[in-house]
Amino acid sequence: MKKNSEKQEEKMGQSNFNSFLKLCLTVLVIVVITEMFGTKTFRLGPGRVVLLPMLFAVVIGMLITPDLLGSKMESLKKIISMDEVKMAGSYVMIALLPLGVKYGTLVGPNIVEVVKAGPAFLLQELGNLGTVFIALPLALFLGMEREAVGATASISREPTLGVIGEKYGISSPEGTGVLGTYLMGTVFGTIFFGLLGGYSAATGLHPLALAMASGMGSGSMMAAASGALAEAVPEMKDGILAYAATSNMLTGVTGLYSVIFLGLPLVNFLYDKLYPFFSKKNRGDK
C-alpha cells in the first residue's frame, strides 16, 4: 500500500513537472512572438492608439485556452490544457515579486524628488480613490459580489494586483476581480488613454495638470496619454512629458501605500454598506 502511494506521488510529481515545463515553454514562445510584433502606434483623430506586445500576448493566451473558445477548438488542448491554465494562476504572485522589489527600490533613491515635487504631485494619487465611489456601486449593480472589491480598489495595475493577491490570493473572488480589471486595462487601457490624452487638450484645463493626470501608475498608459497630449500641445511637449513621467514615478511609489491604507479599507467599508441594498435589488426583493 505504501509503495503504491509513493508511486502515485511520484507520478503526480512528474505530471506537475511536465505541466510546469510546458507552461514555461509556452510563455517563452508567446513572449518571443509578441516581442517580434513590437509596439504598433497609429493616430485616431487627435488621439493616438498604442498597441503593446502585452496586448498581443493576452490575445494569443486567449486563443490557446480551449475552454474560452468552445468545443470547436479542442485541438488546442495539445498546446496547453486547463491543468496548465490552473497552474499559471498560482505562479502569478511569484512573477510579481521582482516587480514588487522594483517598486520598493524606487522609494529610497527618489525620496528627494518626491519631497521636491510638492503637494500637488503627492496628493494626485488620491484621484485613484474615485474608482471606489464610482465603480463599486456600478459593479454591485451589475451583479458582482466580492469580485467588486478587487476590481474597484484602485486602477488595478501591478501594485494593486500584488496587494490583492497577497491579501486574498489571486484565485480568490477578489483576485479574480483585480486580475479581470488588469487584463481589461491591458487590452483597452492604452487605446482609451491615448484617445483621452489627445481629446483632453480641448477641455481648457492646463496641459501640465493633464500631464500629471497621465501618470496613473502604468508606463504604457502614461506614454500613450502624455504622447497624445504632447502632440496636441507641441509648444509644451518637454514639460508635459517631464510632468507625466514624474507623476507616474510617484504613483509607483505612493500607489502601493494608497491601496493598502486607503483604497482597500474604503472599498471594504462601502461594500459592507452597499452590498445588502444591491443584493436585494438584484434578487428583486422589496
Side-chain angles (χ1 to χ4, degrees), residues 30 76 105 149 200 211 241 250 279:
I30 291 175
L76 289 178
T105 59
V149 172
S200 63
L241 296 179
L250 290 175
S279 178

Side-chain angles (χ1 to χ4, degrees), residues 15-195:
S15 177
N16 289 338
F17 176 77
N18 291 338
S19 295
F20 174 76
L21 185 60
K22 186 195 291 189
L23 180 63
C24 291
L25 291 175
T26 303
V27 170
L28 177 61
V29 171
I30 291 175
V31 169
V32 171
I33 292 174
T34 53
E35 287 298 325
M36 289 174 63
F37 287 163
T39 302
K40 306 298 181 184
T41 306
F42 60 92
R43 294 188 60 84
L44 184 62
R48 186 175 61 175
V49 177
V50 181
L51 303 180
L52 295 167
M54 187 182 292
L55 171 61
F56 303 126
V58 171
V59 173
I60 294 174
M62 293 174 64
L63 289 175
I64 64 174
T65 305
D67 284 20
L68 294 179
L69 298 173
S71 58
K72 294 182 180 180
M73 307 296 289
E74 286 293 321
S75 60
L76 289 178
K77 285 187 177 181
K78 296 179 181 178
I79 301 176
I80 188 169
S81 67
M82 287 309 295
D83 290 335
E84 282 81 39
V85 173
K86 293 175 181 177
M87 180 178 287
S90 61
Y91 290 129
V92 170
M93 291 308 302
I94 298 175
L96 286 174
L97 289 177
L99 187 65
V101 173
K102 175 187 174 184
Y103 279 114
T105 59
L106 287 174
V107 179
N110 295 295
I111 190 66
V112 175
E113 285 133 11
V114 170
V115 174
K116 287 181 178 178
F121 272 127
L122 294 174
L123 294 176
Q124 59 92 27
E125 177 61 28
L126 296 177
N128 276 342
L129 298 179
T131 61
V132 178
F133 296 104
I134 298 173
L136 179 62
L138 180 60
L140 294 175
F141 176 77
L142 294 174
M144 294 179 69
E145 296 185 354
R146 289 298 297 180
E147 294 86 356
V149 172
T152 64
S154 184
I155 197 172
S156 293
R157 300 320 295 163
E158 286 84 356
T160 312
L161 193 63
V163 171
I164 298 296
E166 183 67 26
K167 185 174 178 63
Y168 298 104
I170 203 65
S171 298
S172 66
E174 294 85 355
T176 300
V178 69
L179 190 58
T181 307
Y182 177 83
L183 290 175
M184 288 298 102
T186 299
V187 176
F188 300 109
T190 53
I191 299 175
F192 175 80
F193 281 106
L195 295 174

Side-chain angles (χ1 to χ4, degrees), residues 140-141 274-286:
L140 294 175
F141 176 77
L274 296 175
Y275 178 73
F277 170 77
F278 283 101
S279 178
K280 290 180 181 179
K281 187 172 182 179
N282 289 333
R283 292 198 310 263
D285 297 345
K286 296 182 179 180

